[in-house]
Amino acid sequence: MNIQLEILSSTKLICGICCIVYALEKLLYKKPKHDLLSWDVLQLRHPIFIKIPIFDKLCSDNGIKIVTVIFLITSLISIITDLTFILTPCYFIIALSLLIFSARSAYGMDGSDQVIFIIATCLLLVYIHNTIIVRDIVFSFISLQLLFSYFISGYAKLTAKVWRNGEALVGIMGNDIYGNTYGYNLLSKNIRISRLLSWIVFCWEAFFFVSIFCNQEVFISFIVIGVLFHLTNAIIMGLNTFFLAFISCYFPLIHSYLLLHGYAVFTLQVFELQVFIK
């Protein structure tokens, strides 16, 4: 198997795991039956689509559970098979389900939803016409999306005073939904630590795109920091799908790095790693 197919296989695996976690979180989350996020209220955002019977049924409380179960089963299938004629409808169903989840949500797609949707749609395109050129284009597109999202996020934080002085991070840790009591107590009493961590985060995000033009050591360092960053968010804030969604983008990014610098860049290191494993 060449490195391009290995990248595709790794991306497919992590994307599938991410979708499984996403589905399980939705199924296990117990939402009040009658609240402002119920379909009776949310359907008012879609005056045209609710006139379509199938759309209204899929977005209902029972309908969305069925969609989520289908989404879960499809995600499992996408992991265990490499057959193109099975994977193509799988990723179509995954992408379509994410659009339905977005319609059912009061906030639309959040960051991880958007990343999963982009990857699922790109994988759908790959398996519709699985050629070297298509894989190159798709991997490059995912890489550009990743670099752009990091840059925008980092730039927005850099220009915000509450991030530069560390107050934003303290506020996030004190949030009822994504906060962490230990983290809040630590950072609120040590604002300098909060300020330092904030600067590390948004500088890493804003300058992440530079790493793809740097040498191998710098590029790998940015990737490692990224893995640790998203893993920390998953542990402390419960952002599990964020972790898996963004990590799945790292494989196409590695492919883009190899395209930019030549496949020979990692040849020696990969060989040494294989020898070490054996």
Side-chain angles (χ1 to χ4, degrees):
M1 181 182 294
N2 62 42
I3 192 166
Q4 195 184 55
L5 294 179
E6 290 179 356
I7 294 291
L8 177 62
S9 178
S10 299
T11 305
K12 180 174 80 73
L13 174 62
I14 303 301
C15 178
I17 296 174
C18 181
C19 290
I20 291 172
V21 173
Y22 181 91
L24 290 176
E25 287 181 346
K26 290 186 72 68
L27 290 172
L28 296 175
Y29 173 66
K30 295 182 179 180
K31 187 171 64 175
K33 292 183 178 180
H34 302 289
D35 64 346
L36 293 176
L37 300 181
S38 67
W39 180 237
D40 292 335
V41 177
L42 293 177
Q43 65 179 335
L44 299 176
R45 298 174 60 236
H46 309 283
I48 297 177
F49 291 111
I50 59 174
K51 296 179 180 179
I52 305 174
I54 185 66
F55 178 81
D56 187 45
K57 290 181 179 179
L58 289 175
C59 290
S60 65
D61 290 338
N62 291 329
I64 205 68
K65 290 179 182 178
I66 295 174
V67 173
T68 305
V69 171
I70 294 174
F71 180 81
L72 175 60
I73 295 172
T74 305
S75 301
L76 284 168
I77 295 173
S78 71
I79 290 179
I80 62 179
T81 185
D82 290 318
L83 299 176
T84 300
F85 73 92
I86 295 179
L87 287 170
T88 302
C90 278
Y91 286 114
F92 176 79
I93 293 173
I94 289 173
L96 182 61
S97 298
L98 288 168
L99 291 177
I100 296 174
F101 295 148
S102 175
R104 187 62 171 78
S105 172
Y107 313 105
M109 288 189 179
D110 63 18
S112 61
D113 293 352
Q114 293 176 16
V115 174
I116 299 170
F117 178 76
I118 289 172
I119 296 174
T121 305
C122 287
L123 290 175
L124 172 62
L125 295 175
V126 167
Y127 287 108
I128 287 176
H129 191 61
N130 197 352
T131 63
I132 294 176
I133 295 177
V134 172
R135 291 194 293 267
D136 281 341
I137 294 173
V138 164
F139 291 158
S140 298
F141 176 77
I142 294 175
S143 300
L144 288 173
Q145 286 289 322
L146 176 67
L147 297 175
F148 185 71
S149 65
Y150 276 148
F151 175 76
I152 293 299
S153 178
Y155 178 77
K157 291 182 179 71
L158 180 62
T159 55
K161 183 179 179 180
V162 291
W163 270 99
R164 295 196 304 272
N165 61 24
E167 293 178 1
L169 193 56
V170 175
I172 292 173
M173 289 295 101
N175 187 282
D176 291 334
I177 301 176
Y178 300 111
N180 180 278
T181 303
Y182 176 78
Y184 175 76
N185 292 333
L186 174 64
L187 297 181
S188 60
K189 296 177 183 178
N190 301 275
I191 194 64
R192 290 184 178 179
I193 296 178
S194 179
R195 188 181 300 119
L196 175 62
L197 292 175
S198 298
W199 275 83
I200 292 174
V201 168
F202 61 67
C203 284
W204 168 78
E205 288 181 326
F207 296 102
F208 190 94
F209 75 95
V210 177
S211 68
I212 200 169
F213 303 105
C214 298
N215 59 36
Q216 179 179 332
E217 289 73 20
V218 173
F219 177 71
I220 293 177
S221 297
F222 270 82
I223 292 292
V224 171
I225 294 173
V227 173
L228 295 176
F229 169 71
H230 289 294
L231 180 60
T232 301
N233 287 339
I235 295 173
I236 296 178
M237 303 172 64
L239 299 176
N240 303 312
T241 53
F242 262 95
F243 169 64
L244 293 167
F246 277 88
I247 295 305
S248 65
C249 293
Y250 284 3
F251 296 101
L253 182 65
I254 292 173
H255 176 268
S256 298
Y257 183 87
L258 293 175
L259 279 181
L260 188 63
H261 294 270
Y263 280 91
V265 174
F266 283 157
T267 301
L268 180 59
Q269 181 173 343
V270 171
F271 174 75
E272 291 175 347
L273 179 61
Q274 289 175 343
V275 171
F276 175 77
I277 294 175
K278 292 179 180 179

